[in-house]
Amino acid sequence: MAIKTPSRSRFRPLQGVDQSILDANKSLIDEIDRRKILRGAVSLGALTMLTGCNVTNQDAVQSVLKAVSSLNDEIQQLIFRPNHLVPTYTEAEVLKPPRFNAYYDVEDIAPVDGAKWKLELAGLVQDKKPWTVAQFAELPEQELIIRHICVEGWDYIGQWSGVNFRQFLERIGADLKAKYVSFRCADDYYGSIDMATALHPQTILATKYAKQPITDPFGFPLRLRTATKLGFKNPKWITAIEVTNTFPGGYWEDRGFNWHSGI
Amino acid sequence: MTLAVKSTDRKSPLLHPLPVRIMHWINALAMIIMIGSGWKIYNDEVLFGWLHFPDWMTIGGGPEGALQWHFFAMWLLMINGLCYLVYGFATGRFRRKLMPILVSEFIADAKDALRFKLAHDDITRYNAVQKLLYVGIIVVIVIQVLSGLAVWKPMQFSELAALFYDFQGSRLVHFLGMAAIVGFIVIHVGVALLVPAALKAMFTGGPRVADPKAAEPPPGSVPSEPVA
């Protein structure tokens, strides 16, 4: 399987939504959402008394579940402890090689050419000059021996190193008060995390696994490794990073998985 | 034993006051959703190779839908469960209905139960086996919520996850808690069907029972047989 060459700009126009209009009508928007939730809740309640009947209001059920998932995003942000360090492990416990996972099988991975690879930067970032593999090699390295937990329920201990993400964001002059950091990948995967997670001391842009450059199946030359998110929130083969206040979604999140997915 | 009913008037509380009935049925609904969606989530990475739950028994369609249902119903279960615990302690219902559990009584009642001699003619009083089952299931559900939080947030609640050894330990405890709850439901529903008056009481409130405060013997008096 050959991957498509990334087009010049794969980001949506930044000035898509005039934020001031949303702000000016915040109470109205909140009201609409509340009504939708109430209507859905009533339908869900009625559903329990209608066993055996056709579910005619499936959309309402879906909208309640989606609303609760969004509510759970907010609650997970509240639960999040920005300076709480997660347990780390010893080198002896590290799984080599790590366990592969993507939205396709391992035979279908398309290796990225490190010589041609560039990391593009976009959004609320002062210095948008693209980065090369050689430039990343010069950055200070942080090592994390942490547990990787998949939404499916499996886990393993991995040893990752690379630049601390907060340091990298500071270096490129990113707006650290922005809400989201979003990622585009060479395999057309995409994802995003909240800024609090991006700034957590155990979030890095990994270039190495077990002290060796990351191999092709696991995201060469650059991937995210954050200790406080499920596996699918750690994009591999990253080609672009955008700092934004517009909710970016993600590959699995747009298919119904919870967006925050913090662990 | 109709003494309890005879000695009460119109103003005495029902066996299952309205809040208890509401919380019981909300809990039943939340449990069905939690178990059905939990089975689907389990199927994605089984703990036991021999055990997969057939899709028709599960809720949510795919794993993403099952997760949505699970993290919706968890609020229903937790908030309702907290209300139930506060109610049970504050009104004295737990103390009145579930205490004491005497070992001698339990052995006698367990023998009867195993011979299917179900002495449920007075549904206003629980025998020792019932008391232990009801106390036990409350404890199991509390542990189930804690292990669930540890599976959901093994890093934010890393101290809690450590109580269950680690992430997989939390998953295993969460699975065993589910098995215990399913086992309870089988017995609980089975008995409710064998004793229809008990089932009906969870809809209607059941017979009126003596006012718990009036039933308490005045200080210094000779303890008599408990009324309710």
Side-chain angles (χ1 to χ4, degrees):
Chain A
M1 186 187 111
I3 54 153
K4 283 173 247 154
T5 0
S7 56
R8 278 297 301 161
S9 173
R10 297 160 54 194
F11 293 111
R12 276 167 291 160
L14 275 175
Q15 57 276 45
V17 179
D18 185 351
Q19 203 66 30
S20 65
I21 297 174
L22 293 178
D23 290 340
N25 296 288
K26 192 171 184 309
S27 63
L28 183 67
I29 292 164
D30 288 348
E31 181 60 25
I32 292 166
D33 283 344
R34 214 170 304 136
R35 260 188 242 142
K36 227 192 261 170
I37 291 167
L38 278 177
R39 196 184 58 203
V42 169
S43 313
L44 205 62
L47 190 67
T48 65
M49 296 160 207
L50 286 174
T51 38
C53 299
N54 274 337
V55 183
T56 48
N57 221 342
Q58 272 214 336
D59 288 347
V61 173
Q62 281 307 315
S63 74
V64 170
L65 292 175
K66 284 232 166 80
V68 172
S69 190
S70 301
L71 175 74
N72 288 341
D73 285 341
E74 306 282 331
I75 286 162
Q76 289 177 91
Q77 305 262 32
L78 290 176
I79 289 173
F80 186 71
R81 295 150 81 182
N83 296 308
H84 174 65
L85 296 183
V86 312
T88 54
Y89 302 89
T90 64
E91 274 185 48
E93 295 167 280
V94 173
L95 178 74
K96 293 176 203 169
R99 181 164 170 177
F100 173 80
N101 205 38
Y103 65 93
Y104 44 81
D105 292 330
V106 67
E107 308 86 64
D108 294 329
I109 61 151
V112 170
D113 181 352
K116 288 187 192 149
W117 177 85
K118 258 193 272 175
L119 176 75
E120 283 181 70
L121 300 174
L124 306 170
V125 172
Q126 276 164 18
D127 184 358
K128 290 181 184 153
K129 272 203 305 289
W131 284 64
T132 64
V133 169
Q135 283 170 302
F136 264 100
E138 285 165 22
L139 293 174
E141 245 174 41
Q142 176 187 0
E143 186 180 85
L144 293 175
I145 303 184
I146 49 171
R147 194 178 291 279
H148 174 118
I149 295 178
C150 177
V151 66
E152 293 173 344
W154 49 267
D155 69 315
Y156 69 86
I157 291 164
Q159 180 182 12
W160 307 91
S161 17
V163 64
N164 178 276
F165 197 33
R166 174 196 269 271
Q167 282 176 21
F168 181 77
L169 289 173
E170 283 169 351
R171 190 179 281 257
I172 61 174
D175 177 2
L176 303 186
K177 292 202 165 62
K179 281 187 181 165
Y180 313 106
V181 182
S182 111
F183 303 87
R184 300 269 150 178
C185 306
D187 63 344
D188 284 348
Y189 189 77
Y190 59 100
S192 56
I193 60 172
D194 52 289
M195 185 58 82
T197 300
L199 300 179
H200 185 270
Q202 289 167 310
T203 299
I204 65 172
L205 285 176
T207 49
K208 288 180 181 167
Y209 187 83
K211 300 200 186 296
Q212 299 300 315
I214 292 177
T215 50
D216 288 325
F218 306 105
F220 176 83
L222 191 74
R223 67 168 295 167
L224 184 73
R225 249 337 253 123
T226 169
T228 63
K229 292 274 193 213
L230 289 173
F232 77 87
K233 299 294 289 185
N234 293 263
K236 305 184 275 279
W237 310 285
I238 299 171
T239 54
I241 296 177
E242 180 184 15
V243 176
T244 176
N245 283 315
T246 309
F247 181 71
Y251 181 89
W252 291 113
E253 296 88 325
D254 295 348
R255 287 160 175 79
F257 285 89
N258 176 257
W259 176 74
H260 191 281
S261 286
I263 52 176
Chain B
M1 213 206 274
T2 49
L3 182 83
V5 181
K6 252 187 253 168
S7 67
T8 58
D9 57 54
R10 292 282 305 153
K11 281 176 186 161
S12 302
L14 295 170
L15 169 64
H16 300 311
L18 187 62
V20 169
R21 282 175 276 152
I22 291 173
M23 290 187 287
H24 173 271
W25 291 113
I26 289 179
N27 187 62
L29 171 70
M31 271 301 174
I32 289 168
I33 298 175
M34 288 307 270
I35 294 168
S37 58
W39 286 347
K40 183 74 204 173
I41 297 165
Y42 166 93
N43 277 353
D44 245 12
E45 178 68 16
V46 298
L47 285 161
F48 309 103
W50 48 268
L51 181 64
H52 291 73
F53 296 98
D55 268 342
W56 62 264
M57 295 170 73
T58 68
I59 291 173
E64 65 279 27
L67 286 160
Q68 284 176 356
W69 279 104
H70 209 68
F71 288 105
F72 158 74
M74 82 172 177
W75 294 117
L76 215 54
L77 185 84
M78 272 202 292
I79 294 166
N80 186 64
L82 279 176
C83 291
Y84 177 71
L85 289 178
V86 169
Y87 178 94
F89 285 115
T91 62
R93 182 179 171 89
F94 286 160
R95 182 176 45 79
R96 269 196 320 277
K97 298 204 69 80
L98 303 177
M99 292 293 149
I101 304 172
L102 302 173
V103 177
S104 53
E105 249 181 68
F106 176 82
I107 292 169
D109 292 338
K111 277 184 187 163
D112 283 349
L114 291 174
R115 288 194 210 99
F116 284 93
K117 272 172 66 185
L118 296 168
H120 283 341
D121 41 320
D122 178 6
I123 61 166
T124 66
R125 295 190 61 192
Y126 294 146
N127 67 45
V129 173
Q130 285 175 293
K131 285 178 182 175
L132 195 72
L133 276 175
Y134 287 129
V135 171
I137 198 63
I138 292 169
V139 172
V140 165
I141 293 170
V142 170
I143 296 171
Q144 189 67 351
V145 169
L146 293 176
S147 62
L149 289 172
V151 171
W152 187 37
K153 295 275 162 204
M155 303 304 172
Q156 301 309 317
F157 304 148
S158 53
E159 301 87 352
L160 181 65
L163 282 182
F164 302 108
Y165 188 65
D166 63 5
F167 174 69
Q168 292 300 337
S170 309
R171 279 189 78 207
L172 181 61
V173 171
H174 203 56
F175 179 90
L176 295 175
M178 175 281 294
I181 292 167
V182 169
F184 172 85
I185 293 173
V186 169
I187 296 171
H188 183 67
V189 173
V191 172
L193 294 176
L194 286 173
V195 188
L199 178 60
K200 198 180 147 216
M202 199 40 91
F203 290 101
T204 62
R208 292 188 180 276
V209 291
D211 191 325
K213 282 167 205 128
E216 271 170 29
S221 72
V222 182
S224 59
E225 205 192 331
V227 182

